[in-house]
Amino acid sequence: MPEYLIDDREAPRFAVNRKNMVDPEVLAKEREQIFDRCWLYIGHETELRKPNDFKARSVAGRPLIFARDAKGLIRVWVNSCPHRGAMLCRQPEGNARFLTCFYHGWSFSTAGEVVSIPGDDAYGPDFERPGLAAPPRVDSYRGFVFVSFDPEIVDLPTYLAGAREYIDLVADQSETGMEVLDGTHEYSVKANWKLLVENSIDGYHAVSTHQRYFEMVMAARGEIDPGALGRSVGIDLGNGHVVIAGEPTTGGLFGRPLSEAGETERAERFRKFAEKYGDAWVDRMRGARNLVVFPNLVIIDLVMGVVVRKIDPITPGYMEVTAWHLAPTDEGEELHRQRLDNFLTFWGPGGLASPDDVEALETVQKSCAALKELGWSDVSRGMTKPAVDADDELQLRTWWRHWNKLMTGEALPPEPHDPPGDVYTGQKRPNTAAVG
């Protein structure tokens, strides 16, 4: 019997061992085999608007400082004084020319250089005055900044593989750049971190779990033709990255209806994008997407907004979630208001979607106490279909197979299905501008 997964193509059956959600040894191995060896998201460049801005972040259990130095360069430092280990930044964010340890007063620049040691002459002329420590690798793509604790990892563009295309579809939604808005959603879930990863790319649960949301939409708009929503499919993007990609739609079919001014502005923005990128790319941009960058970054472009979600495991049965809202810097007042409204009322910890998901995941975690009686969860939906949809589970199985590869070294083959079609993958981004 396999330890973590059952991937039986003849039955067919795909099952996940529920011990993966409760066993401390599994989490310890994940930290070593996955979080110590992957590129991990720390933040967006636009969160650091001015020189010497900083954010204190936790990535893979490590305390880090996400900063912009005095010259405007993005830096990442370990949030620990090299003297005796106290945390330098005890506030979640700020702006300071110097980062000073409150324990013994050692002080450092945002470029990581030691600038002051009280009683410096007591150390002698040959004492090596250490600067701040940093993760071995730091890089960014389209403003999204990643770190890796593996000095030998492949470069970030290679690691992102097909996920780059879907980040581009988000980043291209402004002619002046996308920015993270002020304000952060921070909440915790009494469940294993992998359950929220699954949930973020699980189209099967939408109607049953979020019934009250669909009732609200119908009350606001009347009956909705299911065909107007367009088809969505799950796609393997390589290296464990997956996406649910939706066909283009003609308007904001979810959330509160836009005003006439909002609809006019939205249409005009897409018209300008089509002039720059062509109709094919903009058709894809007008669709929806739930993207997971392996292992724990989620980018959701849905319900009139773009949510960036970082999922951090704390214990086998407890995770912390941080979410930000990404928006065009050149967006008009009406669209911006609608975007903020949806970030709060749909995506927020007390909104129309997140509490439903939290409740579902916490019940799953509680039921894992019956591991001996019911030890496996089924993830087989769609394995026999020639073409899969978003409410099938191809994208979940893809993520789990990569997880299993990193945990065990076993490379399971991908599933053979018909390609999803050009509306999802065939219309590539034209080379109209440099992409950093």
Side-chain angles (χ1 to χ4, degrees):
M1 176 71 72
E3 183 176 8
Y4 299 129
L5 304 178
I6 295 172
D7 189 2
D8 184 347
R9 304 301 174 88
E10 294 184 4
R13 183 191 179 209
F14 191 98
V16 174
N17 195 331
R18 293 184 180 179
K19 85 166 188 175
N20 300 340
M21 314 304 174
V22 299
D23 189 342
E25 293 184 4
V26 171
L27 178 57
K29 191 171 182 179
E30 287 174 337
R31 294 195 183 282
E32 178 181 326
Q33 299 295 110
I34 295 176
F35 287 94
D36 281 358
R37 299 187 180 187
C38 291
W39 282 101
L40 304 170
Y41 182 69
I42 184 170
H44 197 271
E45 292 176 356
T46 59
E47 295 181 78
L48 307 171
R49 303 182 191 280
K50 298 180 295 183
N52 297 316
D53 276 356
F54 68 86
K55 308 278 186 178
R57 293 273 156 87
S58 176
V59 177
R62 291 168 168 85
L64 299 180
I65 302 169
F66 179 45
R68 190 180 292 275
D69 70 17
K71 295 182 179 180
L73 298 177
I74 298 293
R75 305 280 195 163
V76 178
W77 305 112
V78 175
N79 192 3
S80 175
C81 181
H83 172 224
R84 296 274 290 281
M87 294 180 71
L88 290 169
C89 296
R90 294 179 294 141
Q91 300 297 321
E93 60 183 60
N95 181 278
R97 289 179 59 201
F98 305 115
L99 307 174
T100 301
C101 177
F102 86 106
Y103 194 12
H104 296 95
W106 286 35
S107 188
F108 304 83
S109 72
T110 49
E113 300 165 339
V114 61
V115 296
S116 175
I117 298 177
D120 183 77
D121 55 353
Y123 288 95
D126 297 326
F127 176 68
E128 182 179 345
R129 289 155 174 78
L132 299 181
R137 302 287 296 275
V138 179
D139 202 354
S140 67
Y141 183 78
R142 303 302 301 270
F144 294 84
V145 182
F146 295 78
V147 301
S148 180
F149 304 107
D150 179 3
E152 303 302 323
I153 195 170
V154 298
D155 62 88
L156 181 60
T158 299
Y159 178 84
L160 291 174
R164 287 181 296 164
E165 189 173 312
Y166 289 87
I167 295 175
D168 289 342
L169 283 165
V170 169
D172 283 349
Q173 292 179 29
S174 172
E175 296 183 288
T176 56
M178 302 287 283
E179 66 175 351
V180 167
L181 303 181
D182 291 336
T184 304
H185 288 163
E186 296 178 313
Y187 56 100
S188 59
V189 186
K190 295 177 182 177
N192 188 268
W193 69 278
K194 298 183 289 297
L195 293 175
L196 184 54
V197 174
E198 284 189 341
N199 172 268
S200 300
I201 46 170
D202 174 22
Y204 191 30
H205 80 282
V207 174
S208 54
T209 303
H210 301 301
Q211 179 182 356
R212 62 178 181 155
Y213 172 67
F214 286 98
E215 289 174 350
M216 184 205 76
V217 172
M218 292 176 65
R221 298 172 180 266
E223 293 291 333
I224 296 177
D225 177 9
L229 304 181
R231 182 189 173 214
S232 296
V233 300
I235 304 172
D236 178 356
L237 302 176
N239 292 339
H241 317 311
V242 289
V243 70
I244 291 177
E247 286 182 337
T249 56
T250 56
L253 292 174
F254 292 114
R256 294 183 176 91
L258 287 175
S259 66
E260 183 178 350
E263 290 283 10
T264 300
E265 182 189 343
R266 188 172 188 270
E268 178 62 16
R269 290 181 64 81
F270 282 124
R271 186 192 66 78
K272 289 182 178 180
F273 294 148
E275 290 179 354
K276 182 175 183 179
Y277 299 113
D279 291 336
W281 182 252
V282 173
D283 278 348
R284 292 186 65 192
M285 189 187 297
R286 285 173 44 238
R289 63 211 108 251
N290 287 41
L291 171 68
V292 167
V293 176
F294 190 93
N296 64 330
L297 170 63
V298 181
I299 302 174
I300 303 177
D301 186 1
L302 180 69
V303 193
M304 189 52 205
V306 180
V307 177
V308 179
R309 175 188 289 167
K310 181 168 74 77
I311 305 169
D312 292 307
I314 306 301
T315 70
Y318 183 82
M319 73 182 95
E320 293 180 346
V321 185
T322 313
W324 303 268
H325 201 78
L326 194 68
T329 56
D330 54 354
E331 189 170 58
E333 181 179 348
E334 178 60 24
L335 285 181
H336 195 70
R337 180 194 65 79
Q338 181 87 0
R339 190 181 296 273
L340 288 174
D341 179 78
N342 278 309
F343 184 49
L344 176 64
T345 62
F346 185 81
W347 295 111
L352 289 159
S354 296
D356 297 338
D357 292 326
V358 169
E359 172 67 13
L361 302 188
E362 290 187 347
T363 65
V364 171
Q365 191 70 30
K366 289 177 181 177
S367 76
C368 287
L371 176 65
K372 291 182 179 179
E373 291 74 29
L374 188 59
W376 296 81
S377 292
D378 185 84
V379 194
S380 303
R381 184 175 173 85
M383 288 186 78
T384 62
K385 294 172 64 175
V388 294
D389 295 301
D391 59 358
D392 295 315
E393 294 166 337
L394 168 67
Q395 60 275 14
L396 278 70
R397 293 189 292 273
T398 298
W399 187 93
W400 273 111
R401 288 187 182 107
H402 193 71
W403 178 92
N404 184 71
K405 177 182 177 181
L406 296 183
M407 292 286 281
T408 69
E410 178 187 19
L412 298 167
E415 291 179 33
H417 292 286
D418 293 343
D422 286 351
V423 71
Y424 307 103
T425 61
Q427 301 157 347
K428 306 299 182 183
R429 184 182 192 273
N431 294 319
T432 58
V435 176

mmCIF file of all heavy atoms in Angstrom, residues 394-415:
data_model
loop_
_atom_site.group_PDB
_atom_site.id
_atom_site.type_symbol
_atom_site.label_atom_id
_atom_site.label_comp_id
_atom_site.label_asym_id
_atom_site.label_seq_id
_atom_site.Cartn_x
_atom_site.Cartn_y
_atom_site.Cartn_z
ATOM 1 N N LEU A 394 -8.872 17.051 -11.686
ATOM 2 C CA LEU A 394 -7.555 16.926 -12.309
ATOM 3 C C LEU A 394 -6.542 17.849 -11.646
ATOM 4 O O LEU A 394 -5.412 17.445 -11.345
ATOM 5 C CB LEU A 394 -7.648 17.252 -13.803
ATOM 6 C CG LEU A 394 -6.304 17.441 -14.521
ATOM 7 C CD1 LEU A 394 -5.534 16.132 -14.578
ATOM 8 C CD2 LEU A 394 -6.512 18.007 -15.919
ATOM 9 N N GLN A 395 -6.929 19.097 -11.413
ATOM 10 C CA GLN A 395 -5.990 20.072 -10.858
ATOM 11 C C GLN A 395 -5.552 19.683 -9.445
ATOM 12 O O GLN A 395 -4.393 19.902 -9.071
ATOM 13 C CB GLN A 395 -6.587 21.485 -10.899
ATOM 14 C CG GLN A 395 -7.872 21.680 -10.138
ATOM 15 C CD GLN A 395 -9.112 21.309 -10.945
ATOM 16 O OE1 GLN A 395 -9.024 20.673 -11.987
ATOM 17 N NE2 GLN A 395 -10.280 21.704 -10.455
ATOM 18 N N LEU A 396 -6.452 19.084 -8.660
ATOM 19 C CA LEU A 396 -6.062 18.627 -7.319
ATOM 20 C C LEU A 396 -5.079 17.470 -7.409
ATOM 21 O O LEU A 396 -4.070 17.424 -6.694
ATOM 22 C CB LEU A 396 -7.301 18.197 -6.517
ATOM 23 C CG LEU A 396 -8.113 19.297 -5.828
ATOM 24 C CD1 LEU A 396 -8.859 20.152 -6.862
ATOM 25 C CD2 LEU A 396 -9.095 18.700 -4.831
ATOM 26 N N ARG A 397 -5.371 16.529 -8.304
ATOM 27 C CA ARG A 397 -4.469 15.377 -8.446
ATOM 28 C C ARG A 397 -3.095 15.813 -8.946
ATOM 29 O O ARG A 397 -2.063 15.262 -8.530
ATOM 30 C CB ARG A 397 -5.093 14.348 -9.407
ATOM 31 C CG ARG A 397 -6.351 13.694 -8.867
ATOM 32 C CD ARG A 397 -6.810 12.539 -9.740
ATOM 33 N NE ARG A 397 -7.286 12.944 -11.056
ATOM 34 C CZ ARG A 397 -8.530 13.317 -11.340
ATOM 35 N NH1 ARG A 397 -9.438 13.360 -10.375
ATOM 36 N NH2 ARG A 397 -8.888 13.637 -12.570
ATOM 37 N N THR A 398 -3.069 16.786 -9.848
ATOM 38 C CA THR A 398 -1.794 17.297 -10.360
ATOM 39 C C THR A 398 -0.943 17.860 -9.233
ATOM 40 O O THR A 398 0.263 17.580 -9.133
ATOM 41 C CB THR A 398 -2.049 18.377 -11.425
ATOM 42 O OG1 THR A 398 -2.750 17.795 -12.529
ATOM 43 C CG2 THR A 398 -0.752 18.984 -11.918
ATOM 44 N N TRP A 399 -1.568 18.691 -8.379
ATOM 45 C CA TRP A 399 -0.842 19.275 -7.253
ATOM 46 C C TRP A 399 -0.339 18.163 -6.333
ATOM 47 O O TRP A 399 0.829 18.183 -5.917
ATOM 48 C CB TRP A 399 -1.756 20.225 -6.479
ATOM 49 C CG TRP A 399 -1.053 21.004 -5.415
ATOM 50 C CD1 TRP A 399 -0.500 22.245 -5.514
ATOM 51 C CD2 TRP A 399 -0.810 20.574 -4.059
ATOM 52 N NE1 TRP A 399 0.065 22.624 -4.321
ATOM 53 C CE2 TRP A 399 -0.109 21.619 -3.407
ATOM 54 C CE3 TRP A 399 -1.125 19.428 -3.337
ATOM 55 C CZ2 TRP A 399 0.289 21.536 -2.078
ATOM 56 C CZ3 TRP A 399 -0.716 19.344 -2.005
ATOM 57 C CH2 TRP A 399 -0.029 20.383 -1.383
ATOM 58 N N TRP A 400 -1.177 17.181 -6.021
ATOM 59 C CA TRP A 400 -0.789 16.106 -5.102
ATOM 60 C C TRP A 400 0.338 15.254 -5.681
ATOM 61 O O TRP A 400 1.215 14.788 -4.935
ATOM 62 C CB TRP A 400 -1.998 15.239 -4.779
ATOM 63 C CG TRP A 400 -2.811 15.736 -3.628
ATOM 64 C CD1 TRP A 400 -4.070 16.254 -3.661
ATOM 65 C CD2 TRP A 400 -2.427 15.751 -2.250
ATOM 66 N NE1 TRP A 400 -4.499 16.602 -2.407
ATOM 67 C CE2 TRP A 400 -3.505 16.288 -1.504
ATOM 68 C CE3 TRP A 400 -1.283 15.351 -1.563
ATOM 69 C CZ2 TRP A 400 -3.463 16.448 -0.127
ATOM 70 C CZ3 TRP A 400 -1.247 15.500 -0.175
ATOM 71 C CH2 TRP A 400 -2.323 16.046 0.524
ATOM 72 N N ARG A 401 0.314 15.031 -6.994
ATOM 73 C CA ARG A 401 1.395 14.216 -7.577
ATOM 74 C C ARG A 401 2.745 14.918 -7.427
ATOM 75 O O ARG A 401 3.760 14.260 -7.176
ATOM 76 C CB ARG A 401 1.096 13.923 -9.056
ATOM 77 C CG ARG A 401 -0.042 12.932 -9.259
ATOM 78 C CD ARG A 401 -0.199 12.533 -10.720
ATOM 79 N NE ARG A 401 -1.336 11.628 -10.864
ATOM 80 C CZ ARG A 401 -2.498 11.947 -11.413
ATOM 81 N NH1 ARG A 401 -2.672 13.172 -11.909
ATOM 82 N NH2 ARG A 401 -3.486 11.081 -11.494
ATOM 83 N N HIS A 402 2.783 16.227 -7.590
ATOM 84 C CA HIS A 402 4.051 16.931 -7.415
ATOM 85 C C HIS A 402 4.458 16.921 -5.943
ATOM 86 O O HIS A 402 5.651 16.751 -5.627
ATOM 87 C CB HIS A 402 3.936 18.365 -7.935
ATOM 88 C CG HIS A 402 5.258 19.049 -8.073
ATOM 89 N ND1 HIS A 402 6.173 18.724 -9.050
ATOM 90 C CD2 HIS A 402 5.830 20.037 -7.335
ATOM 91 C CE1 HIS A 402 7.254 19.475 -8.923
ATOM 92 N NE2 HIS A 402 7.076 20.282 -7.880
ATOM 93 N N TRP A 403 3.493 17.112 -5.062
ATOM 94 C CA TRP A 403 3.773 17.014 -3.620
ATOM 95 C C TRP A 403 4.390 15.655 -3.312
ATOM 96 O O TRP A 403 5.401 15.558 -2.591
ATOM 97 C CB TRP A 403 2.459 17.198 -2.851
ATOM 98 C CG TRP A 403 2.546 17.074 -1.366
ATOM 99 C CD1 TRP A 403 2.751 18.086 -0.468
ATOM 100 C CD2 TRP A 403 2.395 15.880 -0.583
ATOM 101 N NE1 TRP A 403 2.738 17.592 0.817
ATOM 102 C CE2 TRP A 403 2.530 16.239 0.780
ATOM 103 C CE3 TRP A 403 2.167 14.540 -0.907
ATOM 104 C CZ2 TRP A 403 2.434 15.311 1.811
ATOM 105 C CZ3 TRP A 403 2.078 13.612 0.121
ATOM 106 C CH2 TRP A 403 2.208 13.991 1.457
ATOM 107 N N ASN A 404 3.804 14.601 -3.846
ATOM 108 C CA ASN A 404 4.299 13.244 -3.608
ATOM 109 C C ASN A 404 5.707 13.054 -4.180
ATOM 110 O O ASN A 404 6.548 12.393 -3.563
ATOM 111 C CB ASN A 404 3.340 12.237 -4.241
ATOM 112 C CG ASN A 404 3.737 10.799 -3.950
ATOM 113 O OD1 ASN A 404 3.627 10.326 -2.839
ATOM 114 N ND2 ASN A 404 4.209 10.107 -4.984
ATOM 115 N N LYS A 405 5.975 13.665 -5.333
ATOM 116 C CA LYS A 405 7.305 13.555 -5.941
ATOM 117 C C LYS A 405 8.365 14.160 -5.028
ATOM 118 O O LYS A 405 9.449 13.588 -4.844
ATOM 119 C CB LYS A 405 7.312 14.251 -7.301
ATOM 120 C CG LYS A 405 8.657 14.258 -7.991
ATOM 121 C CD LYS A 405 8.594 15.007 -9.315
ATOM 122 C CE LYS A 405 9.961 15.085 -9.981
ATOM 123 N NZ LYS A 405 9.889 15.847 -11.260
ATOM 124 N N LEU A 406 8.066 15.334 -4.459
ATOM 125 C CA LEU A 406 9.037 15.968 -3.584
ATOM 126 C C LEU A 406 9.182 15.225 -2.266
ATOM 127 O O LEU A 406 10.260 15.202 -1.668
ATOM 128 C CB LEU A 406 8.642 17.424 -3.329
ATOM 129 C CG LEU A 406 8.644 18.338 -4.557
ATOM 130 C CD1 LEU A 406 8.314 19.769 -4.149
ATOM 131 C CD2 LEU A 406 9.986 18.302 -5.283
ATOM 132 N N MET A 407 8.112 14.607 -1.814
ATOM 133 C CA MET A 407 8.151 13.893 -0.528
ATOM 134 C C MET A 407 8.809 12.522 -0.637
ATOM 135 O O MET A 407 9.430 12.041 0.312
ATOM 136 C CB MET A 407 6.736 13.749 0.019
ATOM 137 C CG MET A 407 6.088 15.059 0.440
ATOM 138 S SD MET A 407 6.741 15.729 1.978
ATOM 139 C CE MET A 407 5.855 14.708 3.175
ATOM 140 N N THR A 408 8.658 11.858 -1.800
ATOM 141 C CA THR A 408 9.115 10.470 -1.922
ATOM 142 C C THR A 408 10.133 10.238 -3.034
ATOM 143 O O THR A 408 10.789 9.196 -3.059
ATOM 144 C CB THR A 408 7.922 9.533 -2.196
ATOM 145 O OG1 THR A 408 7.410 9.788 -3.516
ATOM 146 C CG2 THR A 408 6.817 9.739 -1.173
ATOM 147 N N GLY A 409 10.236 11.158 -3.984
ATOM 148 C CA GLY A 409 11.080 10.949 -5.153
ATOM 149 C C GLY A 409 10.393 10.198 -6.271
ATOM 150 O O GLY A 409 10.981 10.003 -7.347
ATOM 151 N N GLU A 410 9.145 9.777 -6.063
ATOM 152 C CA GLU A 410 8.403 9.009 -7.066
ATOM 153 C C GLU A 410 7.686 9.961 -8.025
ATOM 154 O O GLU A 410 6.839 10.752 -7.609
ATOM 155 C CB GLU A 410 7.372 8.107 -6.394
ATOM 156 C CG GLU A 410 6.515 7.307 -7.366
ATOM 157 C CD GLU A 410 5.391 6.563 -6.662
ATOM 158 O OE1 GLU A 410 5.040 6.930 -5.518
ATOM 159 O OE2 GLU A 410 4.851 5.619 -7.265
ATOM 160 N N ALA A 411 8.003 9.887 -9.305
ATOM 161 C CA ALA A 411 7.378 10.727 -10.316
ATOM 162 C C ALA A 411 6.236 9.958 -10.978
ATOM 163 O O ALA A 411 6.467 9.048 -11.780
ATOM 164 C CB ALA A 411 8.398 11.165 -11.358
ATOM 165 N N LEU A 412 5.012 10.304 -10.636
ATOM 166 C CA LEU A 412 3.843 9.656 -11.222
ATOM 167 C C LEU A 412 3.505 10.328 -12.547
ATOM 168 O O LEU A 412 3.573 11.560 -12.655
ATOM 169 C CB LEU A 412 2.654 9.750 -10.268
ATOM 170 C CG LEU A 412 2.854 9.055 -8.912
ATOM 171 C CD1 LEU A 412 1.763 9.468 -7.937
ATOM 172 C CD2 LEU A 412 2.865 7.545 -9.105
ATOM 173 N N PRO A 413 3.126 9.569 -13.581
ATOM 174 C CA PRO A 413 2.862 10.172 -14.890
ATOM 175 C C PRO A 413 1.606 11.035 -14.865
ATOM 176 O O PRO A 413 0.671 10.776 -14.101
ATOM 177 C CB PRO A 413 2.685 8.965 -15.811
ATOM 178 C CG PRO A 413 2.259 7.860 -14.901
ATOM 179 C CD PRO A 413 2.960 8.103 -13.599
ATOM 180 N N PRO A 414 1.548 12.079 -15.723
ATOM 181 C CA PRO A 414 0.338 12.899 -15.808
ATOM 182 C C PRO A 414 -0.805 12.117 -16.427
ATOM 183 O O PRO A 414 -0.598 11.088 -17.079
ATOM 184 C CB PRO A 414 0.765 14.075 -16.695
ATOM 185 C CG PRO A 414 1.895 13.527 -17.523
ATOM 186 C CD PRO A 414 2.601 12.539 -16.641
ATOM 187 N N GLU A 415 -2.006 12.617 -16.240
ATOM 188 C CA GLU A 415 -3.183 11.968 -16.815
ATOM 189 C C GLU A 415 -3.361 12.357 -18.280
ATOM 190 O O GLU A 415 -3.187 13.511 -18.636
ATOM 191 C CB GLU A 415 -4.445 12.391 -16.052
ATOM 192 C CG GLU A 415 -4.538 11.873 -14.658
ATOM 193 C CD GLU A 415 -5.814 12.359 -13.980
ATOM 194 O OE1 GLU A 415 -6.842 12.526 -14.668
ATOM 195 O OE2 GLU A 415 -5.771 12.585 -12.754
#
